[in-house]
Amino acid sequence: MGITLRQMRYVLAVARFSHFGRAAEACAVSQPALSQQILALEALCGTPVFDRLKSGARLTPFGREFVDLAREAVRSAEALDTFALAQAGRPGRPLRFGLIPTVAPYLLPEIFPVLTRDVPELSFTISESRTDALISGLHDGSLDVALIATEPPAGGPRLATRALFDDPFVLATPSNEKPAEPVSLAALRPERILLLDEGHCFRDQAISACRLEGASSSRTFAATSLSTIVEFVANGQGVTLLPQIALRKEGNDPRIALHQLDDPAAGRQLRLAWREGTPFAASFERIVKVIRASRGLDEARAMPTEAVVGKDHERNPDQGEAEQPR
């Protein structure tokens, strides 16, 4: 028989504590059982690993070299265990979860406690970035999963996405403005519509909803956050679109008024995306179900549009018709 991982772990424990009794306690075994394994190892090696002293145990010169090699072997074995667990869909580390800035501050306080409660075996590291950076993170492996509000572009590794829920837009105006409701976006003066700066998908969605494509490049105002835009609206500098999930935080300012829109396509669909073939796919599917349930959506009402996007822009055959505009 060769040297076992158990024997190496017992040797490392005795080397750490310089005491057989404390090492056995740390390893949750009896001292005779630990001592027997180490004696068997020493018999196999033909030389002692420890000098037994009245005060404890001390490594022999051979033992010091053995411990250096055993430490590397045990570390490699633990890394292999972690890798194997990951392949079985059980993450051995926190999942790296990215969200876009127009979602993170509004949805995280709602869903994070629910995820912690309903999937306690998972832990997360959270980051916030724009859509293109999140997609790049999924491609290069620096992110495991991302919450986005647009279909990933074609090209690069294939990504799987799952629809979470629809997030319709409303119009925010200064409180003294009383447009007829529901408000027609076509009736808005383009120069009054305040937008986020370049790179935010919400900017692109607002431009599309308000049909501002031709004039967008000449606009001089571009905010870095929805909170900044709301402040400008409150001070009478213009109007803007807000996603429904932001209203709890951004819609409480008495200086602004919120108005329903007459365009049912004025909105977006929030989606969870991950790299196809990941060993954590089952965990991500559970996250999708938890988020849908936290919004009071069952599987039918959530309209679970599914897609796989990659170099050839293939789609899941179950996806059906093209998605509605967001």
Side-chain angles (χ1 to χ4, degrees):
M1 295 179 60
I3 299 170
T4 68
L5 280 171
R6 176 187 297 179
Q7 290 169 336
M8 287 188 282
R9 289 189 172 105
Y10 288 174
V11 166
L12 293 177
V14 175
R16 176 186 174 191
F17 291 101
S18 298
H19 194 278
F20 278 78
R22 289 195 290 270
E25 183 178 352
C27 295
V29 296
S30 67
Q31 182 174 337
L34 180 139
S35 297
Q36 184 178 8
Q37 287 292 325
I38 291 179
L39 285 171
L41 169 67
E42 290 174 325
L44 182 64
C45 295
T47 187
V49 176
F50 296 102
D51 289 326
R52 277 74 168 170
L53 309 173
K54 289 184 178 180
S55 58
R58 181 179 61 194
L59 286 167
T60 64
F62 168 79
R64 286 194 293 270
E65 293 187 49
F66 182 91
V67 162
D68 289 341
L69 294 172
R71 188 173 288 117
E72 289 300 318
V74 170
R75 186 180 296 122
S76 295
E78 290 172 349
L80 184 59
D81 283 343
T82 299
F83 173 75
L85 287 173
Q87 292 301 111
R90 299 189 297 276
R93 57 168 173 76
L95 291 172
R96 297 162 298 189
F97 192 171
L99 301 93
I100 53 176
T102 57
V103 166
Y106 312 117
L107 191 60
L108 267 182
E110 175 184 331
I111 67 170
F112 199 71
V114 179
L115 289 173
T116 302
R117 182 194 69 204
D118 292 355
V119 281
E121 72 275 14
L122 301 179
S123 59
F124 303 90
T125 58
I126 305 295
S127 61
E128 182 180 308
S129 194
R130 298 181 184 184
T131 302
D132 56 353
L134 296 181
I135 298 301
S136 295
L138 294 176
H139 284 176
D140 65 25
S142 58
L143 283 178
D144 297 307
V145 64
L147 203 160
I148 56 178
T150 185
E151 190 68 59
R158 288 159 57 92
L159 299 179
T161 71
R162 299 291 184 271
L164 296 173
F165 56 90
D166 290 333
D167 188 24
F169 299 159
V170 301
L171 181 71
T173 70
S175 59
N176 60 353
E177 295 189 15
K178 308 294 183 182
E181 295 200 38
V183 177
S184 169
L185 290 174
L188 298 177
R189 288 161 45 198
E191 67 273 12
R192 295 199 66 219
I193 301 174
L194 306 178
L195 301 171
L196 290 173
D197 62 3
E198 296 284 352
H200 288 276
C201 63
F202 184 71
R203 171 193 173 92
D204 299 334
Q205 291 155 354
I207 287 173
S208 177
C210 297
R211 300 172 179 85
L212 298 177
E213 287 86 348
S216 63
S217 61
S218 62
R219 301 183 63 83
T220 57
F221 178 86
T224 58
S225 71
L226 292 179
S227 296
T228 300
I229 290 183
V230 169
E231 188 63 30
F232 272 78
V233 171
N235 283 283
Q237 303 301 307
V239 301
T240 195
L241 297 184
L242 289 176
Q244 190 176 68
I245 64 167
L247 298 186
R248 184 180 302 175
K249 181 176 180 181
E250 308 295 355
N252 288 326
D253 192 324
R255 298 172 298 165
I256 68 169
L258 303 175
H259 310 278
Q260 297 299 313
L261 300 173
D262 69 350
D263 186 350
R268 60 185 182 174
Q269 188 180 71
L270 302 187
R271 311 178 67 84
L272 205 66
W274 58 86
R275 187 163 174 156
E276 191 186 34
T278 174
F280 307 140
S283 295
F284 299 150
E285 297 284 5
R286 287 190 63 195
I287 292 171
V288 168
K289 291 181 179 180
V290 168
I291 293 176
R292 287 175 178 167
S294 75
R295 303 289 298 182
L297 299 173
D298 56 30
E299 291 300 301
R301 292 171 57 212
M303 294 186 297
T305 304
E306 301 181 359
V308 176
V309 180
K311 293 181 179 179
D312 52 3
H313 206 62
E314 290 183 14
R315 293 181 180 273
N316 189 305
D318 296 331
Q319 182 178 351
E321 298 299 323
E323 297 173 41
Q324 297 178 355
R326 298 185 296 281

